[in-house]
């Protein structure tokens, strides 16, 4: 089938390669029009240097490339997502299936990414997410992801479009959980990086990941997610990959902050989109609005946005009141 991938960052590129390898006719739209001649000549995208672009992938700087496509994958970072969707919307066919793969929350509105895409395109949007570094997917390293939609037919359509021996797609009826888990884990990954930068060990990271998952699931459930989604690929799966891998920009930014760099400097040094930075503000504000206790997210927010000292933030977390692991724990 004819497919368009709107966005040529590392992830859009990896997904375009995957779709092309599955026999689809793919056009990848790029914001960086000046890079098109180089990408066409070298068949490499500097955003994902490790992977070759198959000849079958067309590259375009024109949103009209979505016209006539049965599948339109929106692979923009979160900050320009609304404007990208507004640009491409007039060219999306009425029978096209639209997929959102962006991990984040819209600044100010705190909307999930698929909600933004749905508002701008008028479509029922499928969420594709999971533990999936572009660097690994693009070279065929076995990976599992989630195709989430309340509409089973749409979730299965997207499953079929991407599924391959080395790219297993599971379906889920919980797009809210899938997207919230994906967005909120980036905040925890940034904190995991900070613990590495401070020189802490595996024990610290395991505690942070587990307690981080607990508080993000708490917020997710308050916002309508299914708790089980946080124990699946989009939740704990993505948390593991993002908190432990050097491919993770969120973790890399956190390491630099833990080593004493200012957050802005750290993001500049990473040089690619650090979604956890933006998600920290939304998560913090959502947690406050919902009355949910989110100590790790709150500490991250204070370090990232209020100039709080990292050491003090850690001390604050470690000196919290003692408590039971589960709020509903009952003794026999
Ligand atoms: N990289 C991964 O492995 C991966 C995996 C899964 C999901 N994601 C998610 O995919 C999304 C995109 O991430 P990425 O890794 O592809 O990004 P990236 O950092 O590799 O690239 C950013 C892209 O944004 C484009 N861009 C910059 N300013 C823009 C603007 N004003 N309007 C439109 N486009 C603009 C750039 O041209 C570039 O193509 C993120 O939400 C990320 O969390 C990434």
């Amino acid at each position: 089938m004819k497919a368009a991938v709107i966005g040529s960052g590392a992830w859009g590129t990896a997904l375009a390669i995957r779709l092309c390898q599955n026999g689809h006719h793919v056009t990848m739209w790029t914001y960086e029009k000046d890079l098109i001649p180089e990408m066409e000549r070298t068949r490499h995208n500097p955003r994902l240097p490790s992977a070759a672009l198959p000849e079958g992938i067309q590259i375009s700087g024109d949103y009209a490339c979505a016209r006539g496509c049965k599948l339109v994958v929106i692979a923009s970072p979160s900050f320009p997502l609304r404007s990208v969707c507004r640009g491409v919307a007039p060219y999306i066919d009425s029978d096209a299936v639209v997929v959102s793969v962006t991990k984040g929350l819209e600044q100010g509105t705190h909307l999930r990414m698929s909600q933004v895409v749905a508002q701008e395109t008028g479509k029922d949007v499928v969420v594709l997410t999971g533990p999936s570094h572009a660097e690994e997917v693009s070279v065929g390293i076995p990976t599992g992801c989630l195709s989430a939609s309340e509409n089973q037919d749409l979730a299965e359509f997207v499953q079929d479009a991407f599924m391959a021996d080395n790219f297993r797609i599971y379906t889920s009826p919980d797009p809210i959980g899938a997207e919230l888990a994906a967005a909120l884990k980036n905040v925890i990954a940034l904190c995991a990086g900070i613990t590495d930068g401070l020189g802490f060990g595996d024990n610290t990271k395991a505690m942070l990941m587990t307690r981080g998952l607990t508080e993000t699931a708490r917020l997710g459930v308050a916002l309508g997610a299914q708790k089980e989604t946080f124990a699946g690929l989009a939740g704990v799966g993505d948390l593991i990959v993002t908190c432990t891998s050097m491919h993770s920009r969120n973790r890399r930014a956190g390491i630099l902050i833990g080593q004493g760099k200012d957050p802005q400097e750290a993001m500049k040094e990473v040089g690619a989109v650090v979604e956890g930075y933006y998600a920290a503000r939304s998560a913090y504000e959502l947690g406050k609005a919902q009355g949910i206790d989110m100590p790790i997210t709150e500490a991250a927010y204070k370090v990232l946005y209020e100039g709080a000292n990292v050491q003090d933030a850690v001390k604050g977390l470690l000196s919290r009141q003692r408590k039971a692991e589960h709020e509903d724990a009952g003794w026999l």
Side-chain angles (χ1 to χ4, degrees), residues 9 19 27 35 52 108 156 159 169 183 216 232 262 274 284 289 311 314:
L19 287 171
T27 303
L35 288 181
E156 288 177 355
Q159 178 180 46
I169 310 293
T216 52
D262 169 79
V274 178
Y284 172 75
Q311 306 273 3
V314 170

Side-chain angles (χ1 to χ4, degrees), residues 7-15 29-32 35 45 47-48 63 74-81 83-84 101-104 113 128-137 145 182 185-186 238 247 249-250 271-275:
S8 69
W11 192 221
T13 306
L15 291 176
W29 173 87
T30 182
Y31 175 73
E32 295 165 302
L35 288 181
N45 179 350
R47 295 268 174 192
L48 190 61
Y63 284 125
I74 311 286
S76 154
S78 63
F79 73 87
L81 179 71
S83 69
V84 167
V101 302
T102 305
K103 293 178 179 175
M113 301 287 91
L128 182 70
T129 191
S132 51
H133 289 310
E135 293 82 352
E136 298 189 2
V137 170
C145 274
K185 61 84 196 169
N186 282 334
D238 210 351
H247 290 311
R249 301 92 182 262
N250 293 288
V273 61
V274 178
E275 293 283 14

Side-chain angles (χ1 to χ4, degrees), residues 15-313:
L15 291 176
I17 293 171
R18 179 69 267 142
L19 287 171
C20 183
Q21 286 169 341
N22 278 10
H24 304 300
H25 301 284
V26 185
T27 303
M28 181 170 73
W29 173 87
T30 182
Y31 175 73
E32 295 165 302
K33 295 188 183 59
D34 49 327
L35 288 181
I36 296 177
E38 185 196 333
M39 285 198 269
E40 281 176 340
R41 188 174 49 79
T42 62
R43 300 312 296 177
H44 274 90
N45 179 350
R47 295 268 174 192
L48 190 61
S50 54
L53 291 174
E55 290 294 333
I57 296 179
Q58 310 282 318
I59 306 164
S60 170
D62 187 348
Y63 284 125
C65 67
R67 201 177 263 144
C69 289
K70 184 85 186 92
L71 181 72
V72 178
V73 180
I74 311 286
S76 154
S78 63
F79 73 87
L81 179 71
R82 191 174 283 281
S83 69
V84 167
C85 292
R86 203 163 281 174
V88 74
Y91 304 103
I92 298 179
D93 283 14
S94 57
D95 67 344
V97 174
V98 175
V99 182
S100 172
V101 302
T102 305
K103 293 178 179 175
L105 294 162
E106 189 178 48
Q107 293 291 283
T109 66
H110 308 322
L111 287 174
R112 288 177 286 106
M113 301 287 91
S114 70
Q115 291 178 300
V116 175
V117 181
Q119 279 185 351
E120 295 298 332
T121 64
K123 305 288 288 187
D124 197 354
V125 180
V126 180
V127 173
L128 182 70
T129 191
S132 51
H133 289 310
E135 293 82 352
E136 298 189 2
V137 170
S138 61
V139 295
I141 289 178
T143 300
C145 274
L146 203 62
S147 167
S149 169
E150 281 162 16
N151 180 324
Q152 187 176 353
D153 291 342
L154 289 182
E156 288 177 355
F157 179 88
V158 172
Q159 178 180 46
D160 288 342
F162 283 97
M163 187 91 171
D165 287 351
N166 52 16
F167 198 48
R168 287 193 60 76
I169 310 293
Y170 295 81
T171 53
S172 158
D174 181 23
I176 300 179
E179 272 190 311
L180 287 175
L184 300 175
K185 61 84 196 169
N186 282 334
V187 183
I188 307 303
L190 224 148
C191 296
I194 291 178
T195 69
D196 286 328
L198 285 167
F200 295 151
D202 298 339
N203 296 354
T204 322
K205 200 185 291 178
M207 170 167 65
L208 179 92
M209 288 166 67
T210 316
R211 296 308 303 167
L213 189 63
T214 303
E215 70 178 49
T216 52
R218 215 183 275 145
L219 177 62
V221 169
L223 295 172
Q226 295 171 12
K227 197 172 179 182
E228 306 74 59
T229 303
F230 285 80
L233 285 166
V236 71
D238 210 351
L239 190 69
I240 291 170
V241 96
T242 334
C243 289
T244 60
S245 167
M246 277 314 279
H247 290 311
S248 164
R249 301 92 182 262
N250 293 288
R251 176 169 172 244
R252 289 208 311 271
I255 292 174
L256 295 170
I257 295 167
Q259 288 169 345
K261 284 235 156 80
D262 169 79
Q264 295 301 329
E265 260 178 75
M267 289 200 294
K268 205 179 283 168
E269 190 165 327
V270 168
V273 61
V274 178
E275 293 283 14
Y277 175 79
Y278 304 103
R281 183 193 281 276
S282 292
Y284 172 75
E285 291 176 359
L286 280 170
K288 286 277 170 233
Q290 295 287 330
I292 305 285
D293 188 26
M294 300 185 75
I296 299 171
T297 303
E298 186 166 339
Y301 173 81
K302 291 196 167 144
V303 167
L304 296 173
Y305 289 95
E306 294 183 347
N309 176 282
V310 174
Q311 306 273 3
D312 291 345

